[in-house]
Amino acid sequence: MAAKEDLYSKVIPRRLRPNRSGSVKSGSNLDVLLSMGFPRARALKALVSTGGRSVQAACDWLFSHVDDPFLDDPLPREFVLYLRPSGPLQNQLSHFWQQSRITCGKNKAHNIFPHITLCQFFMCADPQVEALCEALQASVQQWRGRFPSPLPLDLYTSSNFIGLFVEKQAADVLKLFAADFATEASRKAEVHVEPHRKQLHVTLAYNFPTNHLPSLEKLAKGIEVKLGCDWLAVLFSRDIRFANHDTLRAMYPYAPQNEDELELSPGDFVFVSPVDQGGTSEGWVHGTSLASGLSGLLPENYVGLADESDAWVFHGSHSFFSQIPRDKAGKDRGVFEGLLDGRLSNRLGDTPTLSVICHPMQQVLRIGAGLSRQPKRTLFVCRHGERMDVVFGKHWLSLCSDSKGRYVRSNLNMPPCLPLWGGQRDYDMDAPITVFGSTQARLVGEALLESNAAIDLVYCSPSLRCVQTAQNILKGLRQEGKLRVRVEPGLFEWTKWVSGSSLPAWIPPADLAAAHFSVDATYRPLVPVSSLLASESYESYLRRSHQVTRDILSDSRNTGNNVLIVAHASSLDACTRQLQGRGPQSVKEFIQVVRKIPYLGFCSCEEQADTGVWQLVDPPILPLTHGPNHSFDWRETLLQE
C-alpha cells in the first residue's frame, strides 16, 4: 500500500522548484506532473483515470488515492469504441430514455447512453493510451466523406427487446471503419481490438417485464429516425477490476464509525459485487470507492443504483462530418488535454436542450411543460419535516420540561412553544417537528410558489409532524388561512411501525383549528380513526393507502386539479405505485425504498389527459439536501484537558 508520506515526499516544494517559465503552457500535462516529482507510472495512471482533463484533476486523483492498494499495480483499463448520435436525433433518444424510465422504471438499456457498439471491450495499458487516441483520430480523418449519411435505422421490437437496427449495407460500411480502427490501434498502440460482428443497432430497451412492451413500443414509435444527426466516434474506458460489479452512487455523506467502513460523500461511485457480500450484516454492503480506491463496509440505504456508464472515463470524440481545428500543440498534448470525465459525456456533441440550459429548474420545467399537452390533474406527495424525537432522542420531552412541567426549549432547534402543551397530549407517540423541520417545509412552499405550481387541495396524515409540515408549506405558498388542510387518518403510515399495542392519540382537527392551525374542522375523513388497526399487515397498509388516494382523487375531481398529500416517507411509494398500475414490491424492497426518502422528499404524479393513466414525472421544485449538525457542548469540547 502506498503511504501518504511516500507520495508527498516525491513532490518538490514549489519554492524549491527550478524556474521553468513556459513549461506548463507548452509542455504536456504528463511533463508537468513529472516536473512536480510524481513517478511516471503514477502520473500516467492519474491522467488516464481522469480522462486527461487537467493537471489539477490528476493531482486531485493522486492525493485521494494515496492509500489505494492498487495505486502502483500496472493494471490496464478496458476501452470501448461507440458511435454516438448528436443533434436532433440525440434529443429524441434522450427524451425516450427519460420517458421510458419514468413510465416503466429502469431497464438494462438505461445502464449506457444511446449508442452503436463498434467493437468489443479491449485492454490498453496506460503508456499506450495516447497512441490509442491518435489511432482513433487518424481513422476518423480517413473516413470523413465516406460515412453513410443519413444513417438508415429501422425499429425492431420483441417481447423483451426494442432497438433501432442499422440497415445491412450501411452496417457493412461501419464494420469496415471498425476494422480500419482495429488495424490502426494495433499499429500505433499495440492493442488487439475485436470489431463487433453482430448486427449493429441502438438499443432502446431490453430485459423489461412483458407488460411494459406496449408503453415502450409506443414511445419508441415516436422517435423520428430520419432527423438530422452528426455521428461521433467516442472512446470510453472503465476500471477492469469492476467490469462485472454493480455501480452505486452515494446519496448521503457517511463518516466511518469503524476501521472496516468506507467514507462516503454525496455523488461518490461505489462498486459492489454479489460475491463479496457473504459475510456482511443485514443492511450493509461491501464495496470499493471510485474516488479513493479503498474498500470497506457501507450502509445500504445511503447509496442508490447508478447507471454503469456514469463511472466510465471519456477519452475523446471525433465527428465524421466536421473537423474541429486543433492548435499547434495538439500533437504533443494528445490524449491528455481538454477531455471530459464520463459523467459529463451525455452532453458531448449534443445541441442545447432544456436539460442542460442553465436556467433555474422551475423555469426549465415551465418551459418544457408548454411543449406537450397539459395533464388533466397532478398529485403531489411529500414527506413531513425533521422530527424532534429523531434529533433529540425518544426521551426528548425530559430535555424541555422544567420542574413545574412547563415547556422550556433547551436547544435552538426546538420550537419556542408546542401546540396544546399541558393538554395531556401524547407527544411520546406523536412527536412534533423541529425548527429546522418548519424551515424545510417553508422552503418547499416557497419553491412551489416560485414555480407557479398551483395547489388546490391539501390532505395530510393525522400525525402532528405532518400537520405542522403542511401548515408551513402553506406559509411558504402564502396560502395560510386561504387553503384548509384536510386531516385524513387513512394517510397514516404502516401501523406495524408504531411501537406498542395502540395507535397515537392524535390531536382532533377541532383542537388544531382552535390552536390556529389552518385545518378544515368540518372535513369528514374517508377512513375514520376507529377503523385503523395496530400492527396491520403489509398488504392491508398498501390497500388502505391506494384506496384512500383513489378516493381523494375521485372526491377532488370537480373541485381542483392539483392535490398535495403531506404524510410519511412510505406514502411516496404507497400512494403512487399502484396508481400507476405497477405491482407491489416485496416488504424488503419496500423498506429499502422508504429508507432512502429524506425529510420533505417530494414526488409528482400526473394524470395524462389523453389516456387517463397516472405517471411519475419530474417535480416542479428542486430537491432539498443538507448536512448533519451534531450537538455541540463547548465545555466538553473546549475545556477538555
Side-chain angles (χ1 to χ4, degrees):
M1 181 179 293
K4 291 183 181 180
E5 293 78 8
D6 177 52
L7 181 60
Y8 293 148
S9 67
K10 298 181 183 297
V11 182
I12 304 172
R14 184 176 298 274
R15 59 186 175 81
L16 297 180
R17 293 178 201 156
N19 184 11
R20 296 176 57 185
S21 59
S23 62
V24 173
K25 187 172 293 186
S26 60
S28 71
N29 287 349
L30 177 60
D31 291 337
V32 176
L33 290 172
L34 294 177
S35 72
M36 295 169 67
F38 289 108
R40 185 179 188 86
R42 290 187 181 181
L44 278 168
K45 185 183 287 287
L47 288 167
V48 173
S49 297
T50 57
R53 295 196 307 276
S54 65
V55 170
Q56 184 62 55
C59 287
D60 291 344
W61 187 93
L62 283 165
F63 288 124
S64 65
H65 282 257
V66 290
D67 294 320
D68 184 346
F70 293 93
L71 178 61
D72 293 316
D73 284 12
L75 292 173
R77 293 182 67 85
E78 278 195 321
F79 286 76
V80 69
L81 178 64
Y82 289 152
L83 275 183
R84 175 138 192 215
S86 66
L89 179 58
Q90 166 63 12
N91 295 341
Q92 293 243 340
L93 292 173
S94 295
H95 177 75
F96 174 87
W97 241 243
Q98 179 186 31
Q99 291 304 311
S100 62
R101 202 162 191 160
I102 291 172
T103 304
C104 301
K106 182 177 179 179
N107 64 67
K108 289 288 187 179
H110 290 123
N111 270 324
I112 307 175
F113 47 82
H115 68 280
I116 296 174
T117 302
L118 291 181
C119 67
Q120 307 296 327
F121 274 94
F122 60 92
M123 290 184 291
C124 181
D126 294 342
Q128 274 72 52
V129 172
E130 183 171 11
L132 178 66
C133 293
E134 291 174 353
L136 176 59
Q137 182 186 3
S139 299
V140 172
Q141 285 177 342
Q142 293 172 5
W143 272 80
R144 284 201 177 100
R146 299 163 58 191
F147 192 91
S149 178
L151 191 64
L153 300 170
D154 291 325
L155 178 65
Y156 170 83
T157 63
S158 67
S159 60
N160 66 351
F161 177 89
I162 301 177
L164 299 173
F165 278 76
V166 183
E167 292 183 3
K168 186 179 184 307
Q169 186 175 358
D172 290 341
V173 175
L174 299 186
K175 289 178 180 179
L176 287 175
F177 163 74
D180 284 356
F181 167 70
T183 301
E184 192 73 7
S186 176
R187 186 178 68 84
K188 286 181 175 290
E190 299 180 349
V191 298
H192 176 70
V193 178
E194 185 70 29
H196 197 62
R197 300 188 183 280
K198 298 180 181 179
Q199 290 180 285
L200 301 185
H201 62 275
V202 179
T203 300
L204 298 178
Y206 79 99
N207 199 16
F208 50 81
T210 306
N211 63 314
H212 290 166
L213 178 60
S215 299
L216 292 171
E217 190 173 19
K218 181 180 178 181
L219 287 170
K221 288 180 178 178
I223 300 173
E224 300 179 50
V225 295
K226 295 183 180 180
L227 285 175
C229 178
D230 182 4
W231 290 89
L232 307 173
V234 294
L235 189 65
F236 285 87
S237 74
R238 65 185 183 186
D239 193 316
I240 191 173
R241 295 173 294 161
F242 310 118
N244 297 312
H245 288 52
D246 291 331
T247 305
L248 308 179
R249 180 187 279 105
M251 298 183 296
Y252 313 107
Y254 180 75
Q257 308 297 310
N258 300 288
E259 291 184 357
D260 61 349
E261 294 176 7
L262 195 62
E263 182 178 4
L264 298 177
S265 295
D268 285 353
F269 291 105
V270 179
F271 300 108
V272 173
S273 172
V275 300
D276 295 334
Q277 309 310 315
T280 58
S281 304
E282 184 175 359
W284 292 80
V285 295
H286 187 276
T288 302
S289 169
L290 175 66
S292 66
L294 299 178
S295 300
L297 296 171
L298 58 139
E300 188 176 9
N301 59 335
Y302 275 58
V303 293
L305 196 62
D307 296 339
E308 180 186 349
S309 60
D310 286 349
W312 291 359
V313 175
F314 169 71
H315 293 275
S317 68
H318 301 277
S319 168
F320 287 93
F321 303 119
S322 63
Q323 183 170 6
I324 301 175
R326 297 172 62 86
D327 57 79
K328 295 179 181 179
K331 182 178 179 180
D332 294 330
R333 292 193 177 106
V335 64
F336 300 136
E337 288 276 320
L339 303 182
L340 299 175
D341 189 285
R343 278 160 276 179
L344 300 177
S345 64
N346 61 330
R347 301 180 186 177
L348 298 173
D350 295 357
T351 54
T353 64
L354 291 180
S355 61
V356 297
I357 295 174
C358 297
H359 294 306
M361 179 61 71
Q362 292 86 352
Q363 294 181 24
V364 170
L365 292 170
R366 288 203 298 274
I367 294 170
L371 300 179
S372 61
R373 187 183 303 176
Q374 288 296 322
K376 190 184 302 180
R377 292 185 296 164
T378 304
L379 171 68
F380 302 120
V381 186
C382 180
R383 188 191 176 188
H384 58 76
E386 184 181 77
R387 297 171 52 160
M388 285 276 282
D389 55 343
V390 172
V391 176
F392 298 106
K394 63 180 180 179
H395 301 299
W396 65 273
L397 281 168
S398 63
L399 302 176
C400 50
S401 300
D402 64 10
S403 59
K404 297 182 179 180
R406 293 173 298 190
Y407 175 80
V408 179
R409 70 174 180 176
S410 58
N411 189 284
L412 289 177
N413 199 24
M414 292 179 174
C417 61
L418 287 180
L420 306 173
W421 178 269
Q424 304 302 313
R425 298 301 173 191
D426 192 2
Y427 286 111
D428 277 331
M429 296 280 285
D430 189 23
I433 58 176
T434 62
V435 171
F436 193 69
S438 299
T439 303
Q440 292 170 319
R442 283 198 300 274
L443 284 172
V444 166
E446 290 167 359
L448 288 169
L449 178 65
E450 183 183 348
S451 69
N452 293 331
I455 304 294
D456 301 305
L457 295 166
V458 182
Y459 290 78
C460 80
S461 161
S463 295
L464 178 58
R465 57 187 179 273
C466 298
V467 177
Q468 290 178 306
T469 300
Q471 177 88 355
N472 281 281
I473 289 176
L474 290 179
K475 286 182 180 178
L477 272 168
R478 300 179 187 173
Q479 292 294 314
E480 188 181 20
K482 300 177 183 178
L483 279 179
R484 298 287 176 180
V485 179
R486 297 178 174 183
V487 179
E488 176 51 61
L491 293 172
F492 185 59
E493 64 185 344
W494 187 8
T495 59
K496 185 179 178 180
W497 287 339
V498 177
S499 60
S501 58
S502 61
L503 298 177
W506 296 300
I507 302 174
D511 291 354
L512 289 169
H516 307 294
F517 280 90
S518 186
V519 300
D520 184 354
T522 65
Y523 171 69
R524 297 185 63 181
L526 298 166
V527 179
V529 173
S530 59
S531 68
L532 294 179
L533 301 176
S535 299
E536 68 185 333
S537 68
Y538 173 57
E539 292 74 16
S540 296
Y541 167 63
L542 293 184
R543 281 196 301 271
R544 167 167 63 85
S545 298
H546 176 55
Q547 188 59 52
V548 75
T549 304
R550 276 288 187 193
D551 291 344
I552 286 172
L553 293 172
S554 177
D555 288 355
S556 64
R557 182 176 295 275
N558 298 320
T559 56
N561 285 334
N562 296 342
V563 177
L564 170 64
I565 289 177
V566 181
H568 307 271
S570 57
S571 306
L572 274 74
D573 186 81
C575 292
T576 63
R577 188 174 185 84
Q578 295 181 74
L579 196 64
Q580 305 167 67
R582 301 165 65 193
Q585 304 178 93
S586 68
V587 175
K588 183 177 180 181
E589 291 171 333
F590 176 72
I591 292 173
Q592 290 298 325
V593 168
V594 171
R595 286 177 175 173
K596 296 174 182 178
I597 298 174
Y599 293 126
L600 271 299
F602 195 98
C603 71
S604 299
C605 203
E606 287 183 350
E607 183 185 38
Q608 304 305 303
D610 52 349
T611 63
V613 175
W614 288 87
Q615 293 182 353
L616 282 175
V617 297
D618 285 329
I621 63 173
L622 297 170
L624 174 64
T625 307
H626 51 80
N629 199 51
H630 62 272
S631 179
F632 173 65
D633 187 317
W634 66 271
R635 288 187 179 86
E636 291 184 2
T637 304
L638 303 179
L639 296 181
Q640 186 177 16
E641 295 296 336

